[in-house]
Each structure stands twice: as C-alpha cells, then as structure tokens.
Amino acid sequence: MALRVNVLLLAAAEVEAGERAAGIGKIEEYLGSDPRNLLEYTRKGIPKASLHVPGPRRADDIHAGSDRPTPVLRSLQALFDHGRLAGSGYLSILPVDQGIEHSAGASFAKNPLYFDPENIVKLAIEGGCNAVASTLGVLGACSRRYAHRIPFLLKFNHNEFLTYPNKFDQIFFASIKQAKDMGAVAVGATIYFGSDNSARQIIEVAQAFQAAHEMGMATVLWCYLRNPAFKTKEKDFHVSADLTGQANHLGVTIEADIIKQKLPENNGGYNAISSKENPYGKTDKRIYSELTTDHPIDLCRYQVANCYMGRAGLINSGGASGENDLAAAVKTAVVHKRAGGMGLISGRKAFQRPMAEGVKLLNSIQDVYLCKEVSVA
C-alpha cells in the first residue's frame, strides 16, 4: 500500500512539473535556426542500448547493487527527490565556489547580492534545483536554516588563487566530518588530471571519498584537465572528448557517484599531443572512426561511456557567463540529455545576473530534462 501511495505521489509530481515546464516549441526557439540538427540527430557511435540512462529508479537500479552503504543510497535518493526534476532521474545543481576559484570580486562584481551566502542558497531553492554546491563557509553560514530545505553538496577542495605568481592546485579547505556535521548529503572535489599535482590529488580525494561513503554521503567529482601542453595554437584539448573521457574514467575508478565534466568541444587530444619524440598516453583509432564523430552529441556520448556506460551519472558544466546565456544553456542541456547524461551544474550563468533572471535560466535548463520530446539519441 505504501509503495502504491509513493508511486501515485511521484506521478502527481511529474504531472505538476510537466504543466509548469516549457514545451518543445520554446526549446526549439532557443536552439536557433537549425534545431533539427540536435533534436533529430541519430547517434553514429555508441548505441543507447549500451547505456544506463537516467530514470526514476536510478538509486535502486544502479547503486543498490554496488558496494555503497545504505545511507549513501538514501543521500542519493534525497538528491533525486528534490526540486523541479524530482522523480525524473535527472539533476539540476547550482554550484557557487567561484569566490575561491576565480576570486570573489571577479565572480560577484556583476551581482554583489551573492557576496551574501544566503542568497546563493535562496537562488538554488527559487530556481528549483536538486541541490546547492558550495564551500564550507557559504554552506556553513546558513546550514541550520536551510540544510533541511534543500540538499547541501559541500565542495571540500579548491584552487587557491591568491598566491603570487598564481598556481593551479586543488587543496583541502574542509574536512568530510564538517560536511556531515552541517547536514550535507554529498561532498564534491576537483582533481586536475594531467597536472603536476594530480597524483597527490587523486590519493587525497580517493581517501576523502571513502570517508564520505562511510559517513553516508554521496560523492561528486569535478574531473578537470590542467596542463599547458593540452592547449595548442589551433585547439584547446582541455575539452577534447578523448582526454576528458579518460579523466571521467579515472574519476569513477575512485568511486565518484557522479562525474562533473565540461562539455566536449573537439576530439583527438591524444593524437595532437603525442609525437614520436615525446609519446603521450595510449589511444586507439577506433575511438575516432567508430565510437565518435564530430557531432557534439556523439562527443558527449563518449564521455558518458567512460562513466562506466552511465553507471556513474555524468553532469556537464553550464560554462562561463557571456552573451546569449539562456540559449547557450538550453543548447548544452539538449546535447547533454540526448547523449545520455544526467543533468547540468550551472553556476555563473545563473548567479551573475538578477535573481529572477537566474531562476528563469535554471528553469529553462530543467525544462529540457522535463520535456519528453527531447529523448536520448
């Protein structure tokens, strides 16, 4: 009887969310002159049947058979059950750690409202997000007021960007126990794969993720690349599908439950960086001839495949703020959803504008995941 009640409540929530969501016509409008190129594209690489695609029973179907402790399953379910996307299996997360990563002035000068941590949490709530991800200071400043109202995701390491000259390294700003004590349901971290400090970061984060699981919290890993050699005069291979895909694969190896990655913009990073004189890594020509094409959906699909075919959910970055943010965010969501990803984590596009506009942007992203006409390719 209880199960039937839960199913009915879930169905009612889906109907209500669908009634609030924009339809396919609005999504097509945001996509511009050629929406069919994304909405009707048939994948050329890895088939949908090979994937574990997001769905309402994700915690049961994917994570319940793993070695995750039962409290971790409860934490994951809390993420999936919150916000406008509740019950869909998709996630919309507001991340605001740019006060450290990019400096508070550079991040919040456009909208000084967000120097106050409470407004960050309010934006996530008003925007219908599944969770808010931020620093120990931001979440700790208002945890007693809000930790029971929206799932907290504490990001415990950051790139401290004040040392002169600037350096790029992820260091701990918080402990896992502090995350648990404030009521967080998940913790997050960044590893700069490919950097001089990546080996130390991998060890540190792997140990922290083990502790988080033991304390009942889910784990989210920002799998970023960082190496000057990854950027040539022609292309920036920090967003190459083959290199970011391998970063994802390393992330799920240390048992990240969710992988956060930048949307791929190109491919062939291994081939461009490696030479006979300076060989780099290992690759296979079939990655480029059979598993991917140059279409953005196929490139993102390769990222999903490297997350154990979607067993670890892939969420893509919303990217930096600029012009036409709304259209750019919707396009990213369409590519990501059709590739088999699990949602977006969009920060600067949302908080570097008045709150009402930020809420609209977050809702527009969520509308893509609520729209049944936008299906996995």
Side-chain angles (χ1 to χ4, degrees):
M1 184 65 180
L3 177 61
R4 176 174 172 78
V5 171
N6 287 336
V7 170
L8 291 174
L9 289 173
L10 177 60
E14 288 180 337
V15 169
E16 183 181 356
E19 290 173 349
R20 296 197 306 269
I24 189 67
K26 192 65 176 179
I27 294 171
E28 290 176 333
E29 181 183 325
Y30 286 133
L31 292 178
S33 59
D34 189 18
R36 299 297 105 192
N37 180 50
L38 295 178
L39 292 173
E40 296 181 359
Y41 178 75
T42 301
R43 60 89 200 151
K44 301 296 194 299
I46 297 165
K48 173 184 174 181
S50 299
L51 303 179
H52 300 276
V53 298
R57 289 179 48 84
R58 182 175 182 86
D60 294 299
D61 295 340
I62 303 300
H63 298 287
S66 72
D67 63 355
R68 306 305 193 265
T70 300
V72 174
L73 304 184
R74 184 173 61 234
S75 293
L76 284 165
Q77 195 64 51
L79 290 173
F80 290 121
D81 283 348
H82 196 83
R84 292 181 76 232
L85 297 183
S88 68
Y90 289 102
L91 297 176
S92 168
I93 298 174
L94 175 72
V96 187
D97 63 346
Q98 286 86 349
I100 299 175
E101 295 282 344
H102 302 287
S103 92
S107 298
F108 303 136
K110 290 183 180 179
N111 193 356
L113 182 75
Y114 292 107
F115 276 108
D116 185 339
E118 186 172 12
N119 289 321
I120 292 172
V121 180
K122 284 181 177 178
L123 175 60
I125 293 173
E126 294 299 318
C129 293
N130 298 73
V132 57
S134 197
T135 67
L136 173 66
V138 167
L139 298 181
C142 44
S143 62
R144 291 186 186 276
R145 179 169 292 181
Y146 291 105
H148 60 291
R149 295 180 57 189
I150 183 171
F152 275 16
L153 194 173
L154 174 65
K155 190 160 185 296
F156 59 77
N157 73 351
H158 308 282
N159 178 41
E160 183 272 302
F161 211 49
L162 192 59
T163 300
Y164 183 86
N166 286 155
K167 61 181 180 180
F168 297 93
D169 188 14
Q170 292 288 327
I171 60 175
F172 277 53
F173 275 66
S175 71
I176 304 304
K177 185 176 185 301
Q178 285 173 305
K180 181 183 179 183
D181 289 346
M182 75 163 57
V185 304
V187 297
T190 297
I191 292 176
Y192 282 154
F193 290 105
S195 72
D196 291 339
N197 301 300
S198 62
R200 191 206 79 241
Q201 293 170 20
I202 290 169
I203 294 169
E204 289 177 346
V205 173
Q207 292 173 344
F209 278 7
Q210 179 186 3
H213 281 155
E214 290 173 352
M215 294 184 195
M217 290 175 286
T219 56
V220 183
L221 186 63
W222 279 243
C223 291
Y224 284 173
L225 301 176
R226 182 73 70 182
N227 193 304
F230 294 168
K231 191 171 184 178
T232 68
K233 292 181 179 179
E234 293 77 25
K235 288 184 179 181
D236 184 358
F237 292 106
H238 288 94
V239 286
S240 176
D242 55 352
L243 295 180
T244 56
Q246 180 60 17
N248 291 356
H249 199 77
L250 295 178
V252 293
T253 299
I254 61 172
E255 292 203 330
D257 300 311
I258 298 169
I259 296 293
K260 194 251 188 174
Q261 184 57 268
K262 296 180 180 180
L263 195 73
E265 298 177 11
N266 54 60
N267 208 356
Y270 275 114
N271 296 325
I273 296 167
S274 185
S275 66
K276 184 179 293 186
E277 296 76 21
N278 295 294
Y280 171 72
K282 298 286 185 180
T283 190
D284 190 302
K285 63 182 180 181
R286 285 166 289 198
I287 295 172
Y288 316 104
S289 63
E290 298 177 19
L291 301 186
T292 65
T293 69
D294 60 0
H295 195 282
I297 291 174
D298 289 331
L299 295 178
C300 188
R301 173 67 56 87
Y302 186 71
Q303 288 185 339
V304 175
N306 275 277
C307 296
Y308 291 173
M309 284 296 187
R311 284 183 180 271
L314 173 68
I315 53 177
N316 277 132
S317 168
S321 180
E323 298 182 16
N324 303 316
D325 278 348
L326 195 55
V330 169
K331 180 178 179 180
T332 299
V334 169
V335 169
H336 176 81
K337 183 181 181 183
R338 301 216 66 219
M342 202 173 69
L344 286 197
I345 183 165
S346 187
R348 281 170 285 173
K349 279 183 168 63
F351 71 76
Q352 289 185 335
R353 61 187 67 248
M355 186 173 290
E357 293 182 16
V359 169
K360 180 180 179 181
L361 186 140
L362 292 169
N363 288 170
S364 296
I365 290 171
Q366 295 153 9
D367 287 346
V368 173
Y369 294 97
L370 290 170
C371 183
K372 297 188 182 303
E373 288 90 343
V374 181
S375 58
V376 180

